[in-house]
Amino acid sequence: MAALLPYLFFPLAIAARGNVSLAHIYPRLLLFLPFALLAGGLNPLFDRQVIVTIGAVPISGGWLSCISILLRFVLTLGVALLLIATTGFNDICASLERLGMPRPFAVQLLFLYRYIFVLGEEGLRMVRAWELRALHGGNMKVKVFGSLVGHLLLRTFDRARRIHLAMLSRGFHGGFHVHKRQEFGRREAGYAAGWSLFFVACRLWNLPSLVGSIITGGLP
């Protein structure tokens, strides 16, 4: 687990370099945290063999694996959110197309990201309207929930048709309209090479153990 800690330097450096506040990332991490807890939350119950003792507190292998899963979750999703925040989803989809992704897939990915928030807001408005019109409040019944989902689906089809017609009237032909072209020069090559060497070093050596050995005077 300690070998994963140096990887945290990458998202922190990207956030500092891109002027991205970590307060912008935390709420989105917490939104998907239940999925990570579902994957590793039961590990402490099944693996109770003590691996290490910190002071008088024994730490089992289940807790170590659970913390490792949560740390991998933070690294993976955090870097993805930072990529979107610093690059922009339009540029990401355009770059994926330049890397060889079929254009229909890239365009659909862009539309999914752009309109998933519109769909979510529409669903929240429908639920809020039901709550205001409910006589006695209470929990939403399955029949009412199914009706709301059906109306949301119909509204989605209607909105998609209107958006499609609006895009066609504005000359959309299934491609991206990027205002600026990203060039890959020496700075970009040096940036990619530097971080690649860092990741290779983290993969080949346990850097926290190596640094600890150097500080304590042991053999590296």
mmCIF file of all heavy atoms in Angstrom, residues 2-7 196-211 214 220:
data_model
loop_
_atom_site.group_PDB
_atom_site.id
_atom_site.type_symbol
_atom_site.label_atom_id
_atom_site.label_comp_id
_atom_site.label_asym_id
_atom_site.label_seq_id
_atom_site.Cartn_x
_atom_site.Cartn_y
_atom_site.Cartn_z
ATOM 1 N N ALA A 2 1.974 1.216 0.732
ATOM 2 C CA ALA A 2 2.852 2.379 0.792
ATOM 3 C C ALA A 2 3.428 2.724 -0.570
ATOM 4 O O ALA A 2 3.730 3.889 -0.849
ATOM 5 C CB ALA A 2 3.988 2.123 1.795
ATOM 6 N N ALA A 3 3.571 1.716 -1.438
ATOM 7 C CA ALA A 3 4.126 1.983 -2.765
ATOM 8 C C ALA A 3 3.197 2.843 -3.612
ATOM 9 O O ALA A 3 3.633 3.432 -4.613
ATOM 10 C CB ALA A 3 4.405 0.664 -3.483
ATOM 11 N N LEU A 4 1.910 2.943 -3.239
ATOM 12 C CA LEU A 4 0.976 3.775 -3.998
ATOM 13 C C LEU A 4 1.062 5.247 -3.623
ATOM 14 O O LEU A 4 0.600 6.102 -4.395
ATOM 15 C CB LEU A 4 -0.461 3.288 -3.768
ATOM 16 C CG LEU A 4 -0.815 1.893 -4.285
ATOM 17 C CD1 LEU A 4 -2.228 1.526 -3.834
ATOM 18 C CD2 LEU A 4 -0.729 1.836 -5.800
ATOM 19 N N LEU A 5 1.624 5.548 -2.476
ATOM 20 C CA LEU A 5 1.632 6.936 -1.999
ATOM 21 C C LEU A 5 2.357 7.899 -2.933
ATOM 22 O O LEU A 5 1.888 9.028 -3.126
ATOM 23 C CB LEU A 5 2.235 6.993 -0.590
ATOM 24 C CG LEU A 5 1.440 6.265 0.499
ATOM 25 C CD1 LEU A 5 2.148 6.376 1.838
ATOM 26 C CD2 LEU A 5 0.023 6.831 0.597
ATOM 27 N N PRO A 6 3.505 7.537 -3.532
ATOM 28 C CA PRO A 6 4.149 8.493 -4.444
ATOM 29 C C PRO A 6 3.288 8.898 -5.632
ATOM 30 O O PRO A 6 3.460 9.991 -6.182
ATOM 31 C CB PRO A 6 5.420 7.752 -4.897
ATOM 32 C CG PRO A 6 5.704 6.783 -3.816
ATOM 33 C CD PRO A 6 4.365 6.357 -3.313
ATOM 34 N N TYR A 7 2.358 8.043 -6.038
ATOM 35 C CA TYR A 7 1.497 8.399 -7.168
ATOM 36 C C TYR A 7 0.597 9.583 -6.844
ATOM 37 O O TYR A 7 0.092 10.242 -7.770
ATOM 38 C CB TYR A 7 0.632 7.200 -7.563
ATOM 39 C CG TYR A 7 1.399 6.072 -8.189
ATOM 40 C CD1 TYR A 7 1.777 4.958 -7.451
ATOM 41 C CD2 TYR A 7 1.750 6.107 -9.537
ATOM 42 C CE1 TYR A 7 2.474 3.909 -8.024
ATOM 43 C CE2 TYR A 7 2.450 5.060 -10.125
ATOM 44 C CZ TYR A 7 2.804 3.961 -9.355
ATOM 45 O OH TYR A 7 3.498 2.931 -9.939
ATOM 46 N N SER A 196 6.546 9.964 -17.325
ATOM 47 C CA SER A 196 6.677 8.532 -17.624
ATOM 48 C C SER A 196 7.826 7.923 -16.839
ATOM 49 O O SER A 196 7.697 6.807 -16.293
ATOM 50 C CB SER A 196 6.891 8.324 -19.128
ATOM 51 O OG SER A 196 5.776 8.789 -19.873
ATOM 52 N N LEU A 197 8.947 8.626 -16.746
ATOM 53 C CA LEU A 197 10.075 8.135 -15.945
ATOM 54 C C LEU A 197 9.697 8.049 -14.464
ATOM 55 O O LEU A 197 10.104 7.115 -13.767
ATOM 56 C CB LEU A 197 11.282 9.051 -16.135
ATOM 57 C CG LEU A 197 11.946 9.011 -17.516
ATOM 58 C CD1 LEU A 197 13.078 10.048 -17.594
ATOM 59 C CD2 LEU A 197 12.483 7.619 -17.826
ATOM 60 N N PHE A 198 8.927 9.009 -14.007
ATOM 61 C CA PHE A 198 8.482 8.984 -12.612
ATOM 62 C C PHE A 198 7.612 7.767 -12.344
ATOM 63 O O PHE A 198 7.773 7.074 -11.331
ATOM 64 C CB PHE A 198 7.730 10.274 -12.294
ATOM 65 C CG PHE A 198 7.079 10.288 -10.945
ATOM 66 C CD1 PHE A 198 7.833 10.463 -9.794
ATOM 67 C CD2 PHE A 198 5.707 10.124 -10.822
ATOM 68 C CE1 PHE A 198 7.238 10.470 -8.547
ATOM 69 C CE2 PHE A 198 5.100 10.133 -9.586
ATOM 70 C CZ PHE A 198 5.865 10.308 -8.438
ATOM 71 N N PHE A 199 6.685 7.472 -13.250
ATOM 72 C CA PHE A 199 5.807 6.320 -13.070
ATOM 73 C C PHE A 199 6.583 5.007 -13.149
ATOM 74 O O PHE A 199 6.295 4.057 -12.417
ATOM 75 C CB PHE A 199 4.699 6.330 -14.123
ATOM 76 C CG PHE A 199 3.742 7.474 -13.975
ATOM 77 C CD1 PHE A 199 3.217 8.115 -15.091
ATOM 78 C CD2 PHE A 199 3.378 7.931 -12.714
ATOM 79 C CE1 PHE A 199 2.335 9.165 -14.953
ATOM 80 C CE2 PHE A 199 2.498 8.983 -12.567
ATOM 81 C CZ PHE A 199 1.979 9.602 -13.691
ATOM 82 N N VAL A 200 7.577 4.935 -14.039
ATOM 83 C CA VAL A 200 8.400 3.729 -14.140
ATOM 84 C C VAL A 200 9.181 3.521 -12.847
ATOM 85 O O VAL A 200 9.294 2.392 -12.341
ATOM 86 C CB VAL A 200 9.346 3.827 -15.346
ATOM 87 C CG1 VAL A 200 10.375 2.702 -15.321
ATOM 88 C CG2 VAL A 200 8.543 3.778 -16.652
ATOM 89 N N ALA A 201 9.718 4.617 -12.286
ATOM 90 C CA ALA A 201 10.454 4.512 -11.022
ATOM 91 C C ALA A 201 9.541 4.060 -9.886
ATOM 92 O O ALA A 201 9.927 3.233 -9.054
ATOM 93 C CB ALA A 201 11.108 5.853 -10.687
ATOM 94 N N CYS A 202 8.314 4.579 -9.862
ATOM 95 C CA CYS A 202 7.360 4.165 -8.824
ATOM 96 C C CYS A 202 6.978 2.696 -8.983
ATOM 97 O O CYS A 202 6.696 2.008 -7.992
ATOM 98 C CB CYS A 202 6.107 5.034 -8.880
ATOM 99 S SG CYS A 202 6.370 6.765 -8.403
ATOM 100 N N ARG A 203 6.980 2.232 -10.224
ATOM 101 C CA ARG A 203 6.608 0.844 -10.478
ATOM 102 C C ARG A 203 7.736 -0.120 -10.124
ATOM 103 O O ARG A 203 7.491 -1.222 -9.596
ATOM 104 C CB ARG A 203 6.230 0.691 -11.962
ATOM 105 C CG ARG A 203 5.812 -0.708 -12.366
ATOM 106 C CD ARG A 203 4.558 -1.141 -11.650
ATOM 107 N NE ARG A 203 4.129 -2.466 -12.076
ATOM 108 C CZ ARG A 203 3.119 -3.129 -11.536
ATOM 109 N NH1 ARG A 203 2.425 -2.595 -10.547
ATOM 110 N NH2 ARG A 203 2.784 -4.333 -11.975
ATOM 111 N N LEU A 204 8.970 0.273 -10.399
ATOM 112 C CA LEU A 204 10.103 -0.632 -10.189
ATOM 113 C C LEU A 204 10.576 -0.654 -8.750
ATOM 114 O O LEU A 204 11.060 -1.688 -8.269
ATOM 115 C CB LEU A 204 11.263 -0.231 -11.117
ATOM 116 C CG LEU A 204 11.001 -0.373 -12.620
ATOM 117 C CD1 LEU A 204 12.231 0.077 -13.406
ATOM 118 C CD2 LEU A 204 10.646 -1.815 -12.977
ATOM 119 N N TRP A 205 10.475 0.480 -8.058
ATOM 120 C CA TRP A 205 10.990 0.559 -6.690
ATOM 121 C C TRP A 205 9.911 1.060 -5.737
ATOM 122 O O TRP A 205 9.045 1.845 -6.126
ATOM 123 C CB TRP A 205 12.198 1.511 -6.618
ATOM 124 C CG TRP A 205 13.346 1.058 -7.459
ATOM 125 C CD1 TRP A 205 14.190 0.012 -7.231
ATOM 126 C CD2 TRP A 205 13.763 1.656 -8.694
ATOM 127 N NE1 TRP A 205 15.114 -0.083 -8.233
ATOM 128 C CE2 TRP A 205 14.885 0.906 -9.156
ATOM 129 C CE3 TRP A 205 13.324 2.728 -9.465
ATOM 130 C CZ2 TRP A 205 15.550 1.216 -10.333
ATOM 131 C CZ3 TRP A 205 13.977 3.047 -10.637
ATOM 132 C CH2 TRP A 205 15.079 2.295 -11.054
ATOM 133 N N ASN A 206 9.988 0.612 -4.508
ATOM 134 C CA ASN A 206 9.129 1.111 -3.446
ATOM 135 C C ASN A 206 9.782 2.380 -2.897
ATOM 136 O O ASN A 206 10.625 2.334 -2.007
ATOM 137 C CB ASN A 206 8.964 0.058 -2.353
ATOM 138 C CG ASN A 206 7.899 0.441 -1.339
ATOM 139 O OD1 ASN A 206 7.614 1.612 -1.127
ATOM 140 N ND2 ASN A 206 7.311 -0.558 -0.704
ATOM 141 N N LEU A 207 9.402 3.519 -3.437
ATOM 142 C CA LEU A 207 10.076 4.771 -3.104
ATOM 143 C C LEU A 207 9.966 5.143 -1.629
ATOM 144 O O LEU A 207 10.955 5.602 -1.042
ATOM 145 C CB LEU A 207 9.533 5.902 -3.984
ATOM 146 C CG LEU A 207 9.782 5.755 -5.494
ATOM 147 C CD1 LEU A 207 9.277 6.984 -6.229
ATOM 148 C CD2 LEU A 207 11.250 5.522 -5.778
ATOM 149 N N PRO A 208 8.794 4.991 -0.969
ATOM 150 C CA PRO A 208 8.773 5.303 0.467
ATOM 151 C C PRO A 208 9.732 4.447 1.276
ATOM 152 O O PRO A 208 10.407 4.939 2.181
ATOM 153 C CB PRO A 208 7.312 5.026 0.854
ATOM 154 C CG PRO A 208 6.550 5.210 -0.398
ATOM 155 C CD PRO A 208 7.443 4.694 -1.476
ATOM 156 N N SER A 209 9.820 3.141 0.951
ATOM 157 C CA SER A 209 10.761 2.279 1.666
ATOM 158 C C SER A 209 12.200 2.679 1.372
ATOM 159 O O SER A 209 13.052 2.668 2.264
ATOM 160 C CB SER A 209 10.523 0.822 1.268
ATOM 161 O OG SER A 209 11.454 -0.031 1.905
ATOM 162 N N LEU A 210 12.465 3.065 0.117
ATOM 163 C CA LEU A 210 13.810 3.472 -0.261
ATOM 164 C C LEU A 210 14.220 4.753 0.458
ATOM 165 O O LEU A 210 15.332 4.859 0.999
ATOM 166 C CB LEU A 210 13.883 3.664 -1.771
ATOM 167 C CG LEU A 210 15.232 4.072 -2.362
ATOM 168 C CD1 LEU A 210 16.270 2.980 -2.097
ATOM 169 C CD2 LEU A 210 15.106 4.326 -3.863
ATOM 170 N N VAL A 211 13.319 5.731 0.505
ATOM 171 C CA VAL A 211 13.617 6.988 1.195
ATOM 172 C C VAL A 211 13.793 6.751 2.694
ATOM 173 O O VAL A 211 14.689 7.316 3.340
ATOM 174 C CB VAL A 211 12.507 8.016 0.919
ATOM 175 C CG1 VAL A 211 12.712 9.272 1.757
ATOM 176 C CG2 VAL A 211 12.479 8.392 -0.560
ATOM 177 N N ILE A 214 17.204 5.338 3.372
ATOM 178 C CA ILE A 214 18.244 6.340 3.248
ATOM 179 C C ILE A 214 18.280 7.252 4.476
ATOM 180 O O ILE A 214 19.335 7.579 5.021
ATOM 181 C CB ILE A 214 18.059 7.162 1.966
ATOM 182 C CG1 ILE A 214 18.236 6.265 0.745
ATOM 183 C CG2 ILE A 214 19.031 8.313 1.906
ATOM 184 C CD1 ILE A 214 17.955 6.963 -0.574
ATOM 185 N N PRO A 220 20.110 1.396 0.725
ATOM 186 C CA PRO A 220 18.994 1.676 -0.148
ATOM 187 C C PRO A 220 18.614 0.438 -0.927
ATOM 188 O O PRO A 220 19.399 -0.457 -1.121
ATOM 189 C CB PRO A 220 19.524 2.798 -1.062
ATOM 190 C CG PRO A 220 21.017 2.621 -1.030
ATOM 191 C CD PRO A 220 21.352 2.071 0.318
#
